[in-house]
Amino acid sequence: MQLSALFLLALHNSVRGATVLAPAAKPTQFVTLDIVNGPVAPDGFTRIGVLANGTFPGPPIVATKGQTLVVKVNNKLTNDTMRLSTSIDFDGVFIDSDNVFNTGSPFVTTCPFGPGESYTYTLPLGNQTGSFWYHSALSVQYIDGLRGTVDPDDPLAHLYDIDDASTVLTVADWWHNTSTSGLVSYLATHINPVADSGLFNGRGRYNGGPEIEYAAVSVVPGKRYRFRLINISARSQFFFSIDNHTMTVIEADGVATEPHEVNILLIHTGQRYSIVVAANQAVGNYWINAVINNESPTHNLNLNSTLSRGILRYEGALDEEPQTPLTEGPTGTDAVMLHEWEIVPLDPIPAPEPDFNLTFNTFMPANITAWQINNISYIPPSVPTLVRVLQGETQQMDFNETENTFLFPTNKTIQVEIVDARNEGHPFHLHGMNFWVIKSNGSDIINTVNPIRRDVCNTGNGTIILRFRTDKPGPWSFHCHILYHFAVGLGSVIGAGLDRVGNVVHPTEAWERLCPAYDALPPGEQ
């Protein structure tokens, strides 16, 4: 199941066939998401998926800064070949300690809820702005389709003319088999499942499949567009570019950045970028290249990375595909690549000196499908961490070794060095807050003066260094955003000031009913 959603700091009247909007004057925005099983064929191959309001990607949610977002999720799932329970995570949306139970992290801050049940997430957006998304957080469920997009006075507004629901762009991987069967295969073969196709704005093609129409993005000559690009993949990274056009990066994972011009960028699972593109070329059709990177087609003959693409269509151009060749975008000396370590926040905040240092060595033993952090594979507890903390379990000895739970006092700075010895590439994501990226993959630069702040950072050959604050008491999930990796152990929990959680967290009765209801479900409905 997969769900994706974007929050935008703009108000609009419609959203690509689905309206999920509220007037600007209302302080609270109410949204309903019905999670259903239904046919879906983004690349022309029809299968049953897990869908939000019957669509893939799910409907965008457009909100404004300062609103409170109230999302009622109705679980209407019926297909027992996939997970029937669910839980929704709003990636990158900051949650304060008193609301930590609404983060939707199964068995960390909540229990999932079963078919026929509903749960309402209340999310005060405060002053946060940027591009975010929502998805199923239960096991590998969002592979089946439950993904969507979410975003809430922009100092960079002078750089663009258009920023609305039509400028939300998504890249995604897609499987013809269900997520549960893919996980069974992964456990048996030790081979990371490879997608059947890559999608741009919910459409793509695969080898031998039908030539379905590529998704087109319409632009008016002379206008400048803020495109909010979101990678809603389960595991794939994409090289993204637009033929004959440059891109000015002005946001990374909800953090506004100094304008930085490139013509190609690599976006990892869970990451978001806002890019400004000027429609300054001759009227016509131009390829949008969304090329899956580092996937082996020998593990899935359906995959053809050159077939995941879209069309930038100027007003007045013919309704046809570009006549230019399919390429992977700029290469060699023509490529001006986005490098993470070159991105500077518009509002730089120096990284504080660390009070504690933590090292994550990531590793998978030979012939065992189990990723490890420091020789331990994360296994979610049967009783969520937050439930136990509220019952008084706040010491290190209260947590099993397999929970990978690291406890720290409040108001401290933690430095985490993540070592990726196999050069596998793990997009690590922290719930509830951003981290400072002190050292990025691909660079030896150590930057504590004005490093980029974000909530997803990819590992690679060597070490990345992150710092974050424990200003928010609570258990916060910190994990690889490749769903198959997380499902087999590549996760952890940061316990910030757990002894103070009981003083600030007062969950609702609806939340307190989740775990007893889930525990009472037969195994086939969990």
Side-chain angles (χ1 to χ4, degrees):
M1 167 174 182
Q2 168 185 328
L3 165 66
S4 316
L6 173 77
F7 296 110
L8 307 173
L9 267 184
L11 294 177
H12 319 290
N13 297 319
S14 63
V15 181
R16 287 205 302 271
T19 299
V20 191
L21 302 173
K26 293 185 177 181
T28 302
Q29 178 176 342
F30 296 94
V31 174
T32 298
L33 296 175
D34 291 330
I35 310 307
V36 300
N37 293 118
V40 60
D43 61 1
F45 179 92
T46 301
R47 57 160 291 193
I48 299 299
V50 179
L51 311 172
N53 291 1
T55 67
F56 173 77
I61 300 171
V62 180
T64 58
K65 181 172 69 173
Q67 282 188 314
T68 293
L69 188 63
V70 177
V71 183
K72 182 179 181 181
V73 180
N74 301 314
N75 184 344
K76 298 184 177 182
L77 297 172
T78 58
N79 191 307
D80 62 6
T81 66
M82 294 168 279
R83 294 295 292 263
L84 289 176
S85 291
T86 194
S87 184
I88 306 305
D89 177 34
F90 295 81
D91 259 20
V93 178
F94 294 164
I95 302 290
D96 288 334
S97 290
D98 60 355
N99 198 33
V100 64
F101 57 91
N102 270 320
T103 57
S105 303
F107 310 109
V108 177
T109 60
T110 190
C111 279
F113 52 100
E117 300 294 331
S118 301
Y119 185 75
T120 298
Y121 298 87
T122 300
L123 305 167
L125 301 179
N127 291 321
Q128 190 176 13
T129 63
S131 305
F132 311 96
W133 64 300
Y134 60 86
H135 62 81
S136 167
L138 180 60
S139 184
V140 292
Q141 189 181 50
Y142 88 58
I143 293 169
D144 293 317
L146 185 53
R147 323 173 209 177
T149 54
V150 191
D151 176 302
D153 298 83
D154 183 5
L156 297 173
H158 64 283
L159 296 178
Y160 54 88
D161 306 301
I162 310 294
D163 174 30
D164 58 26
S166 72
T167 63
V168 177
L169 311 181
T170 62
V171 291
D173 43 21
W174 188 251
W175 277 262
H176 294 168
N177 296 320
T178 65
S179 61
T180 47
S181 63
L183 184 56
V184 168
S185 173
Y186 187 27
L187 293 171
T189 66
H190 319 300
I191 297 174
N192 221 324
V194 172
D196 290 281
S197 60
L199 309 178
F200 170 77
N201 274 9
R203 295 186 192 176
R205 297 176 183 176
Y206 63 96
N207 282 329
E211 293 188 356
I212 68 167
E213 205 173 311
Y214 285 118
V217 178
S218 299
V219 295
V220 175
K223 296 293 186 180
R224 301 164 302 169
Y225 292 80
R226 176 178 181 159
F227 291 122
R228 297 172 185 263
L229 177 64
I230 304 175
N231 186 342
I232 63 174
S233 293
R235 63 152 293 170
S236 301
Q237 54 187 233
F238 286 78
F239 278 111
F240 185 87
S241 63
I242 305 174
D243 282 1
N244 290 25
H245 292 75
T246 59
M247 305 177 291
T248 302
V249 176
I250 62 169
E251 176 218 343
D253 294 359
V255 176
T257 69
E258 295 284 354
H260 186 77
E261 188 172 293
V262 298
N263 61 14
I264 187 169
L265 60 83
L266 181 63
I267 184 168
H268 299 278
T269 301
Q271 289 186 331
R272 296 90 64 198
Y273 288 109
S274 279
I275 54 175
V276 175
V277 176
N280 56 9
Q281 298 299 302
V283 171
N285 293 293
Y286 299 85
W287 286 120
I288 297 173
N289 311 299
V291 180
I292 288 183
N293 181 47
N294 284 346
E295 295 286 17
S296 173
T298 60
H299 293 154
N300 191 336
L301 298 180
N302 283 337
L303 181 65
N304 184 335
S305 61
T306 64
L307 298 181
S308 54
R309 59 183 55 251
I311 300 170
L312 188 72
R313 177 166 292 147
Y314 278 65
E315 182 179 75
L318 296 176
D319 187 2
E320 64 180 15
E321 294 182 6
Q323 303 303 302
T324 51
L326 304 180
T327 73
E328 297 186 357
T331 59
T333 57
D334 294 329
V336 182
M337 177 66 69
L338 176 66
H339 296 129
E340 184 178 65
W341 60 89
E342 295 175 344
I343 309 173
V344 178
L346 192 64
D347 179 21
I349 302 175
E353 287 299 306
D355 299 297
F356 295 92
N357 290 279
L358 186 62
T359 299
F360 281 3
N361 286 291
T362 64
F363 184 69
M364 176 180 278
N367 301 318
I368 299 177
T369 305
W371 276 102
Q372 300 176 342
I373 293 175
N374 299 344
N375 300 316
I376 298 171
S377 292
Y378 174 73
I379 300 175
S382 57
V383 178
T385 307
L386 180 59
V387 173
R388 289 154 51 212
V389 169
L390 291 172
Q391 294 172 346
E393 297 184 24
T394 61
Q395 304 299 316
Q396 192 70 61
M397 63 183 179
D398 295 323
F399 301 96
N400 292 331
E401 184 180 60
T402 54
E403 294 181 62
N404 260 355
T405 298
F406 301 89
L407 305 189
F408 300 101
T410 54
N411 303 317
K412 300 298 182 181
T413 300
I414 315 304
Q415 176 166 298
V416 184
E417 296 188 21
I418 304 179
V419 182
D420 183 359
R422 288 180 41 166
N423 193 21
E424 186 82 14
H426 302 293
F428 266 85
H429 169 54
L430 178 62
H431 288 215
M433 66 202 83
N434 286 330
F435 41 65
W436 289 269
V437 182
I438 305 304
K439 179 184 178 299
S440 297
N441 177 41
S443 172
D444 292 327
I445 297 173
I446 305 293
N447 180 6
T448 62
V449 177
N450 59 353
I452 188 62
R453 306 184 303 277
R454 64 187 319 166
D455 59 68
V456 183
C457 183
N458 201 67
T459 68
N461 187 18
T463 301
I464 64 171
I465 304 175
L466 315 174
R467 290 182 191 171
F468 58 87
R469 294 281 295 169
T470 60
D471 296 340
K472 297 180 180 181
W476 304 100
S477 186
F478 188 28
H479 63 89
C480 176
H481 219 307
I482 294 175
L483 266 290
Y484 284 114
H485 291 182
F486 186 23
V488 297
L490 201 52
S492 67
V493 176
I494 301 298
L498 296 187
D499 58 323
R500 298 179 58 184
V501 170
N503 297 326
V504 297
V505 180
H506 305 287
T508 61
E509 291 183 3
W511 178 84
E512 291 176 340
R513 291 194 296 266
L514 288 176
C515 285
Y518 180 79
D519 293 340
L521 290 172
E525 293 187 14
Q526 290 185 340

